[in-house]
């Protein structure tokens, strides 16, 4: 390399501090798994991120698509792989397919929670995040034996958004890979009683801060979709992260990871006497009990998918269906 080449590379690196592993002219690849409530709006968000004008179809199991963007003029296009898990919590075992030891360094998760169905909110969030976390931890345990540098780098990166002098450094338990929580259907949620809205907003702020995640509320409105898109583009294509914050409970929340604090969130929304009666071993457990007191969870059976995917019209194939009908007969 000439001195000029080195100087140009240095300037590019300063412009993009996140791209440590990407040399000029090299393509960067990221993968994102979208999961969450059934019919919560995951497909719509993906299509908007990829600027596709098609109408969303229901996702049955695990679907894949991708997007490509050039960071600058005349550079190769970066690739972002978008995986989407359908069926709410019923197919959670499928997350093992997209998240592997080969792509764990460049993987992120987007959890889409339907704000219009608060009784399903905690159950969906807890079961999806628990299974994802235990799968990622298994991969990290293997990596510690085979590639300890990568495992150490991933563990270090979990804490990147929280400075060591942050007052909550000892109180949080960051998710092992980058996480964004999106509260969808804000337009319906906005018609709820203000006390209900306050409980849901505070709880999601606590959970996001506890897991070191970014939080954004969105709906079909273009302005709100743009905010969600900005967070996803940061994960997918390394675009600059927005530094704006909105914590006003009467407005849609927008809080990038690490920009909230326990003191701003406050205690769980319950009376002191109620809090005194609740037995909980961790702050997360206490918030769960307070939340589920107001919004009793639906039983797990109600959340399971009972429809036979083979009967779904969007996957109809004439010859196969005729033979299938013959076989059934």
């Amino acid at each position: 390399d000439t001195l000029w080449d080195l100087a140009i590379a240095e300037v590019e690196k300063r412009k993009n501090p996140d791209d440590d592993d990407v040399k000029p002219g090299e393509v960067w690849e990221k993968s994102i798994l979208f999961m969450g409530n059934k019919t919560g709006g995951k497909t719509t968000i993906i299509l908007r991120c990829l600027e596709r004008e098609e109408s969303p179809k229901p996702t049955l199991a695990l679907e894949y698509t991708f997007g490509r963007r050039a960071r600058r003029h005349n550079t190769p296009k970066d690739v972002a792989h978008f995986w989407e898990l359908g069926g709410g919590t019923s197919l959670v075992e499928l997350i093992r397919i997209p998240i592997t030891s080969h792509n764990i360094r460049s993987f992120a998760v987007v959890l889409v929670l339907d704000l219009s169905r608060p009784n399903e909110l905690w159950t969906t969030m807890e079961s999806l995040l628990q299974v994802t976390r235990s799968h990622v931890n298994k991969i990290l345990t293997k990596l510690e034996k085979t590639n300890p540098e990568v495992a150490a780098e991933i563990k270090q990166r979990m804490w990147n958004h929280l400075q060591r002098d942050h007052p909550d450094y000892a109180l949080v338990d960051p998710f092992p890979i980058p996480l964004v929580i999106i509260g969808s259907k804000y337009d319906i949620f906005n018609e709820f009683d203000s006390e209900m809205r306050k409980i849901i907003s505070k709880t999601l702020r606590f959970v996001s801060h506890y897991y070191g995640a970014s939080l954004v509320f969105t709906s079909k409105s273009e302005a709100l979709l743009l905010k969600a898109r900005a967070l996803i583009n940061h994960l997918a294509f390394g675009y600059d992260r927005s530094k704006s914050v909105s914590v006003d409970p009467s407005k849609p929340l927008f809080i990038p990871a690490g920009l909230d604090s326990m003191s701003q969130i406050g205690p769980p929304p319950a009376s002191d006497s109620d809090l005194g009666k609740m037995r909980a071993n961790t702050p997360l457990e206490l918030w769960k009990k307070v939340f589920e007191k107001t919004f009793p969870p639906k039983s797990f059976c109600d959340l399971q998918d009972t429809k036979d995917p083979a009967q779904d019209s969007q996957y109809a194939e004439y010859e196969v269906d005729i033979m299938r009908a013959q076989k059934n007969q």
Side-chain angles (χ1 to χ4, degrees):
D1 285 357
T2 66
L3 193 57
W4 288 114
D5 293 331
L6 294 169
I8 290 166
E10 184 60 34
V11 170
E12 292 298 344
K13 192 172 176 188
R14 284 182 193 174
K15 274 191 202 161
N16 304 292
D18 282 357
D19 312 359
D20 295 341
D21 312 328
V22 183
K23 298 171 184 67
E26 207 179 295
V27 172
W28 118 332
E29 281 191 49
K30 294 276 181 178
S31 303
I32 300 178
L33 172 65
F34 287 77
M35 55 190 189
N37 292 91
K38 241 176 107 178
T39 67
K42 300 182 289 295
T43 311
T44 307
I45 292 166
I46 292 173
L47 292 173
R48 288 301 296 117
C49 283
L50 298 174
E51 294 172 14
R52 291 189 193 153
E53 293 302 321
E54 57 203 81
S55 50
K57 293 192 181 88
T59 306
L60 269 190
L62 185 66
E63 293 202 359
Y64 168 81
T65 186
F66 68 93
R68 300 179 70 187
R69 298 267 164 85
R71 254 170 298 166
R72 283 170 293 287
H73 191 53
N74 284 342
T75 56
K77 287 187 173 179
D78 296 326
V79 181
H81 306 281
F82 288 89
W83 295 86
E84 183 187 354
L85 180 70
T89 54
S90 57
L91 300 167
V92 72
E93 292 305 312
L94 290 178
I95 61 142
R96 291 182 302 204
I97 295 167
I99 309 179
T100 66
S101 54
H102 300 296
N103 63 14
I104 188 85
R105 280 175 82 183
S106 56
F107 213 98
V109 170
V110 174
L111 177 65
V112 181
L113 297 171
D114 186 338
L115 297 173
S116 68
R117 293 187 288 184
N119 298 73
E120 294 175 23
L121 201 139
W122 194 285
T123 318
T124 302
M125 174 177 73
E126 189 175 56
S127 53
L128 289 172
L129 290 183
Q130 272 178 356
V131 174
T132 309
R133 183 169 216 156
S134 80
H135 175 61
V136 170
N137 284 341
K138 274 183 200 157
I139 291 176
L140 287 177
T141 307
K142 274 188 195 160
L143 275 178
E144 277 169 351
K145 292 174 189 146
T146 57
N147 199 336
E149 292 88 13
V150 170
E153 180 202 319
I154 293 169
K155 288 191 170 175
Q156 177 50 46
R157 214 189 297 157
M158 282 162 57
W159 293 94
N160 277 0
H161 62 270
L162 212 61
Q163 307 305 322
R164 277 198 176 277
D165 55 358
H166 193 290
D168 303 335
Y169 196 81
L171 303 172
V172 297
D173 183 14
F175 206 68
I177 53 179
L179 173 65
V180 169
I181 297 177
I182 297 180
S184 66
K185 303 192 184 175
Y186 177 78
D187 43 345
I188 302 172
F189 167 79
N190 206 25
E191 290 165 13
F192 286 4
D193 164 68
S194 68
E195 203 49 42
M196 284 167 72
R197 286 206 313 265
K198 190 175 151 193
I199 293 172
I200 297 169
S201 297
K202 273 187 90 163
T203 303
L204 285 178
R205 275 181 70 185
F206 170 79
V207 169
S208 300
H209 185 56
Y210 183 76
Y211 284 131
S214 298
L215 175 66
V216 59
F217 282 2
T218 187
S219 69
K220 285 182 178 166
S221 106
E222 200 56 37
L224 289 184
L225 273 169
L226 275 174
K227 289 197 156 190
R229 210 171 118 189
L231 283 175
I232 293 163
N233 277 339
H234 170 67
L235 295 178
F237 301 106
Y239 288 12
D240 285 346
R241 207 172 75 131
S242 172
K243 291 283 189 289
S244 71
V245 177
S246 168
V247 293
D248 182 346
S250 63
K251 296 193 176 86
L253 296 181
F254 181 80
I255 312 168
L259 298 184
D260 211 343
S261 69
M262 297 293 186
S263 57
Q264 283 178 295
I265 297 166
S271 67
D272 290 348
S273 62
D274 279 352
L275 287 176
K277 288 177 202 155
M278 290 178 184
R279 293 182 183 280
N281 296 324
T282 63
L284 193 66
E285 216 176 292
L286 183 64
W287 279 83
K288 176 184 178 176
K289 288 189 171 176
V290 171
F291 184 80
E292 292 188 340
K293 193 168 186 283
T294 312
F295 304 106
K298 280 192 167 184
S299 74
F300 198 65
C301 309
D302 297 345
L303 299 176
Q304 291 287 6
D305 202 357
T306 49
K307 207 173 81 179
D308 177 7
Q311 306 302 322
D312 196 294
S313 58
Q314 66 172 314
Y315 298 103
E317 281 190 60
Y318 183 70
E319 285 89 351
V320 176
D321 294 341
I322 282 184
M323 292 178 83
R324 180 86 210 177
Q326 251 178 324
K327 182 173 188 283
N328 288 344
Q329 202 178 342

